[in-house]
Amino acid sequence: MQLEQPAREMGWNGTVPNAFDSRILGFVGVTAALAASLNVPYGGVAFAVAAFGVLAAIGVVVHVLGERKLRRITDGLVERWASSGAEIEDVTRSSEGMRTEWTVRTPNGTVTIGGVALVPIARLSVEWQGVGDSMDASEAEADLDQLAASLYEEIFEIQAAA
């Protein structure tokens, strides 16, 4: 007689949630306001308002591009892990300080993937069981297959062998 184990309900629907972060946008707004206020003595209020608009728009674009880059990397990592046989229970958005993060829940533990979502300085960090590593987001995106394979081995294969 063969015992059947109940199928485990997976909470992950195959997509990584959006992480448009209002704290980063607030930081962009405050920085743009401070920078624009320096223009009041030299160009007047109208020039300062125009400078604020330009700086705020650039800041929002920089954040959106950084968030999309980190989300693409996270989605690529989770997708590659799932296709390699890892069981992904759920992927949720989380945040800590000024970092944009996603929490990936697996039977082996929680993996936190994220970083600062500003495109020129975007860095990816991956943390699992208190140990973290970070690298430039562009570097991670260019080497996504190799990064996913090494993290898969560290998180899922070594843990299973132990």
Side-chain angles (χ1 to χ4, degrees):
M1 179 173 168
Q2 183 176 354
L3 295 176
E4 289 186 26
Q5 291 185 354
R8 192 180 259 195
E9 183 110 4
M10 293 189 51
W12 186 54
N13 62 0
T15 61
V16 174
N18 196 3
F20 201 66
D21 201 341
S22 60
R23 293 167 307 149
I24 298 282
L25 294 178
F27 174 72
V28 165
V30 167
T31 304
L34 287 173
S37 70
L38 296 175
N39 290 311
V40 173
Y42 303 107
V45 174
F47 189 70
V49 169
F52 172 78
V54 169
L55 292 171
I58 289 171
V60 168
V61 167
V62 162
H63 172 60
V64 168
L65 292 175
E67 185 273 334
R68 288 181 64 199
K69 179 176 277 211
L70 290 176
R71 184 171 182 246
R72 258 192 325 267
I73 293 169
T74 302
D75 188 43
L77 288 172
V78 173
E79 184 179 296
R80 283 166 177 79
W81 293 343
S83 67
S84 295
E87 186 177 334
I88 306 297
E89 295 173 352
D90 194 17
V91 178
T92 57
R93 185 192 177 291
S94 60
S95 61
E96 181 182 317
M98 295 297 279
R99 294 170 35 117
T100 302
E101 297 178 336
W102 291 269
T103 302
V104 181
R105 288 184 188 79
T106 70
N108 296 357
T110 301
V111 181
T112 305
I113 304 170
V116 177
L118 296 171
V119 89
I121 60 170
R123 288 193 59 83
L124 175 75
S125 65
V126 179
E127 184 178 325
W128 179 67
Q129 290 186 342
V131 178
D133 191 18
S134 68
M135 64 188 317
D136 186 59
S138 297
E139 214 177 279
E141 193 172 33
D143 242 358
L144 194 57
D145 289 330
Q146 194 259 344
L147 178 64
S150 67
L151 288 171
Y152 179 83
E153 180 181 351
E154 182 179 331
I155 295 169
F156 299 102
E157 291 179 351
I158 294 176
Q159 181 71 16

